[in-house]
Amino acid sequence: MLHTVNKSPFERNALDACLTRAAKGSAILLYEDAVYAATKGTNVASRVSQATQAFKVFVLGPDLRARGFDEAQVLDGITVIGYDEFVDLTVEHGTVNAWL
Amino acid sequence: MLHTVNKSPFERNALDACLTRAAKGSAILLYEDAVYAATKGTNVASRVSQATQAFKVFVLGPDLRARGFDEAQVLDGITVIGYDEFVDLTVEHGTVNAWL
Amino acid sequence: MQFGILVNEGPYNHQASDSAYQFVKAALGKGHKIFRVFFYYDGVNNANKLTEPPSDDRNITKRWSELGKAHGLDLVVCVAAALRRGIKDEVLADGFRISGLGQLIEAGVHSDRLIVFGD
Amino acid sequence: MQFGILVNEGPYNHQASDSAYQFVKAALGKGHKIFRVFFYYDGVNNANKLTEPPSDDRNITKRWSELGKAHGLDLVVCVAAALRRGIKDEVLADGFRISGLGQLIEAGVHSDRLIVFGD
Amino acid sequence: MSTDENSSGVVKKFMYVNRKAPYGTIYALEVLEMVLISAAFDQDVHLAFVDDGVYQIKKGQDTKGVEMKNFSPTYRALDGYDIEKLYVEKESLDERGIAASDLMVPVEIIDRAAMTALIDSMDVVLSG
Amino acid sequence: MSTDENSSGVVKKFMYVNRKAPYGTIYALEVLEMVLISAAFDQDVHLAFVDDGVYQIKKGQDTKGVEMKNFSPTYRALDGYDIEKLYVEKESLDERGIAASDLMVPVEIIDRAAMTALIDSMDVVLSG
């Protein structure tokens, strides 16, 4: 299963909702305002880094760059992808669950 | 100043944003989905009860009842009001700050 | 006392427009004046006259029109926000008018209180 | 592979429609099929042809219409959600059609993946 | 809808994940409309109530004061459409101080681990 | 707008409280349009950036990949409209790992207690 999260971890509980209910080994894509969760130095960074042990975590590059961040500022263990790879993820991981 | 909060404390950071930045003695109105913050037995109840020491806290009765709660389920120290008293609050407390 | 009201969200999807309506009704009932109700962001969608909710639900647009007529309310839709969302004279409900964002600032300047309803 | 797409939010106010559009473009570019794009909740506002954003910004409605035409996409607006929000044939943009919610379930049944874009 | 649509023969496990409180936004109400239609399409329909979604089925909703439509009776009508797979997450109830007896419809209360497994077994997941 | 509107003589302390990230929603962009107009009305305009609002003025925004309008240059144009009272909350920056040098415009960085006092001194508070 592919889980998607599109809200800032500081504003809403969507990331938490996902991390506590995604099955181990699932893929998680952070996009739109959720890309902030993938950046270094935040007070949720350790929680997100830990999540990369249990899940395959991805972040959408175009959303990251729109918000003024680049690949170098992304936490280790998170893969930066584009829309093409977003499509590939949905193909590879079966059902998609958007944590709105 | 009157501060208004209209989002669930479980879903968003609006209540926290308000409680950490309202001046002591301010009035705070919980309405729409923020009425859940005023109910007993939740895991934010102690934080909200504490807030009643520093602020005058109100909750909108019509929103509370729409969501299946009544006055008896509201935390001590919080006053249940109607739309008329909502208007009165804005008259009495000067500038209104909606924590959207 | 004189109130300015800002409605930030569209009808039905968020409660903001409902809450604003109840507030305005209560304020009028207590003898206060409403300087202006300004619709911004998705709030401009409140002025769409094509709105046709199920018959057992409230008609938010019509309710604003009627309250406006009954009390001579100035219901103003922001032109920039409205163009972006396809609200034009063709679909503008009775009692609303389209104007500039300056009308909101004016409401902030000339009202005793500006109350914001949003998401 | 065959995709169904659900767009839950209106244009401009939320990024959902933009993200859905980029996803659909990418999927088509990779040779996948789009079974249907379904617009629900405030998403129905994407079909408002009166939309007129500033000239230096994207025109979200027009972009969907054009992508739909170029690739024969089935762009379906939920009738119940649309009536509630004042989206009717009078304002329906090219390439969109209004139909029932069953069209979404059908998309869920017949697509290999249903992808939801919302708030 | 036409009979052909309904009788395509494909039956998938649909899940509606309800995470939002009622009335503040319309999602809870319009999700219900999706739920009813998917039953008409003979799909295997599941409803999950997690986080603020558990408030949707809180007993005693009375919307007279807000002049909005009280749509909560629809939850009680679901079993008339053979929609009986309603799951509520225990942790979500506990965090909100809601007891099983506060809920207006019969549901299966499961813990977070069981909810995780249940969601993971679905074919189509919809959220509002 | 007409000259009479602008010259009513009343000057109020307006504050725009920015708490939302850019691009995910339109609030940041449309707040800026309010800000510009209020300056044209000769009001005493203040901008506060707290919580995710601090992301609005993060340097280096590049929206080519999302095909949305990059409106961040507008923040740099504000001083041309004599809008120079920009306040950023230190705690909000720290929680997000953002340094003062990451911001695209000159701002005054103040702590939460000072932000509380500043907000409390305003006549009109607007949020998006």
Side-chain angles (χ1 to χ4, degrees), chain A residues 4 6-7 29 31-32 60 63 83 86-87 90 96-100, chain D residues 3-10 14-24 37-43 46 64 114-119, chain E residues 27 125-128:
Chain A
T4 66
N6 71 331
K7 292 295 160 198
L29 171 64
Y31 78 114
E32 296 183 358
L60 198 66
D63 279 325
Y83 290 107
F86 182 178
V87 174
T90 66
V96 183
N97 184 357
W99 288 92
L100 303 180
Chain D
F3 287 97
I5 305 289
L6 174 58
V7 180
N8 286 355
E9 299 294 333
H14 298 86
Q15 200 184 341
S17 180
D18 289 281
S19 295
Y21 175 81
Q22 297 298 338
F23 183 92
V24 168
V37 183
F38 194 85
F39 297 86
Y40 195 47
Y41 306 104
D42 270 2
N46 284 288
W64 277 117
L114 184 71
I115 322 283
V116 185
F117 294 90
D119 180 42
Chain E
Y27 302 104
V125 180
L126 283 151
S127 42

Side-chain angles (χ1 to χ4, degrees), chain F residues 89-103:
Chain F
E89 189 192 70
K90 184 177 187 308
E91 287 83 348
S92 297
L93 291 174
D94 292 347
E95 288 162 9
R96 288 160 186 77
I98 306 285
S101 58
D102 293 325
L103 304 179

Side-chain angles (χ1 to χ4, degrees), chain C residues 56-103:
Chain C
D56 59 349
D57 203 354
R58 72 238 185 254
N59 186 323
I60 292 180
T61 298
K62 198 165 159 232
R63 211 167 58 169
W64 276 119
S65 290
E66 288 171 355
L67 193 70
K69 192 183 236 179
H71 296 272
L73 298 181
D74 191 17
L75 307 176
V76 180
V77 173
C78 171
V79 60
L83 279 173
R84 194 174 263 134
R85 292 165 180 86
I87 302 300
K88 295 182 176 169
D89 286 331
E90 293 96 297
V91 294
L92 196 70
D94 265 5
F96 289 85
R97 65 187 180 92
I98 297 177
S99 187
L101 201 41
Q103 301 272 309

Side-chain angles (χ1 to χ4, degrees), chain F residues 5 8-9 12 17-18 24 32-33 37 40 42 46 57-58 66 74 79 96 103 108 116:
Chain F
E5 281 177 335
S8 69
K12 285 189 176 179
V17 179
N18 294 293
L32 270 178
E33 297 184 1
I37 298 280
D42 294 325
H46 305 69
I57 49 174
K58 169 81 176 65
V66 293
T74 310
D79 72 344
R96 288 160 186 77
L103 304 179
E108 191 171 337
T116 297

Side-chain angles (χ1 to χ4, degrees), chain F residues 68-120:
Chain F
M68 297 170 78
K69 180 177 165 178
N70 180 355
F71 62 95
S72 66
T74 310
Y75 295 104
R76 282 197 299 265
L78 290 178
D79 72 344
Y81 295 87
D82 292 324
I83 300 170
E84 291 164 340
K85 296 178 179 170
L86 279 62
Y87 303 90
V88 175
E89 189 192 70
K90 184 177 187 308
E91 287 83 348
S92 297
L93 291 174
D94 292 347
E95 288 162 9
R96 288 160 186 77
I98 306 285
S101 58
D102 293 325
L103 304 179
M104 66 174 78
V105 280
V107 296
E108 191 171 337
I109 298 178
I110 62 180
D111 68 12
R112 193 161 284 176
M115 184 60 80
T116 297
L118 182 68
I119 293 174
D120 204 53

Side-chain angles (χ1 to χ4, degrees), chain B residues 5-6 29-36 59-69 80-83 86, chain C residues 15 18-19 22, chain E residues 22-24 62-63 65-66 68:
Chain B
V5 179
N6 70 331
L29 171 63
L30 306 171
Y31 77 114
E32 296 183 358
D33 287 347
V35 301
Y36 297 119
V59 63
L60 198 66
D63 278 326
L64 202 59
R65 285 184 284 276
R67 289 160 181 80
F69 290 87
V80 181
I81 63 169
Y83 289 107
F86 182 177
Chain C
Q15 200 184 340
D18 288 281
S19 295
Q22 297 298 339
Chain E
Y23 305 113
D62 173 1
T63 59
V66 294
M68 297 171 78

